[in-house]
Amino acid sequence: MVRLASALAMAALALAPAVGRAATATVLNSSPLWADSQSYHACTVVNVSASTVNVTIELVGANGKVIATTPTAFVALTAGAITEVENANPYIGLARCRFTVFANPAVAVPPSVRANLTVFHSISAEVFQTYAVSEAR
């Protein structure tokens, strides 16, 4: 009985450091930019780290309501991958992007991404002009 208790205590000690290591998240926000009926907001993020990063992207209106978001709880971006969220229905007014980057506690180096909000103007079906860009911080 003492051996069993001792073995359980050793196992608990071995596992204890892992208990407090939950995934942490970093939230980045862009400044708000204006889009009119001839333009649209696009939230873009690129993974510049060497490992896969989980990211949630949200386009947030001036009233704080989420206008568009990633189709799942998060997008798994492999190293070098880029993804974008834009509003399906044109949103006229100020909007900003919120990027939530989830760190993997098993990876020693924190994830690194670059993210921004861009307002594009549609000149034709295949030609778009950049009106403004706001880097997320």
Side-chain angles (χ1 to χ4, degrees):
M1 190 69 138
V2 173
R3 281 189 157 170
L4 178 61
S6 178
L8 289 174
M10 292 295 283
L13 284 174
L15 294 175
V19 172
R21 291 184 292 171
T24 58
T26 301
V27 179
L28 304 171
N29 286 280
S30 70
S31 295
L33 294 177
W34 179 270
D36 61 18
S37 61
Q38 301 299 309
S39 57
Y40 68 95
H41 299 90
C43 302
T44 307
V45 62
V46 59
N47 178 4
V48 295
S49 62
S51 59
T52 299
V53 174
N54 295 330
V55 181
T56 298
I57 306 167
E58 297 169 302
L59 178 62
V60 182
N63 62 359
K65 182 179 176 185
V66 175
I67 301 164
T69 188
T70 46
T72 57
F74 61 84
V75 174
L77 286 178
T78 56
I82 300 171
T83 193
E84 179 179 276
V85 166
E86 56 189 61
N87 49 328
N89 301 315
Y91 176 79
I92 298 171
L94 288 170
R96 65 182 170 85
C97 294
R98 178 171 50 219
F99 304 90
T100 306
V101 183
F102 299 94
N104 181 346
V107 177
V109 178
S112 185
V113 300
R114 299 294 178 267
N116 68 48
L117 163 62
T118 304
V119 174
F120 291 105
H121 174 73
S122 177
I123 296 173
S124 70
E126 294 133 8
V127 179
F128 299 93
Q129 178 180 7
T130 301
Y131 269 177
V133 178
S134 173
E135 296 295 321
R137 300 172 190 254

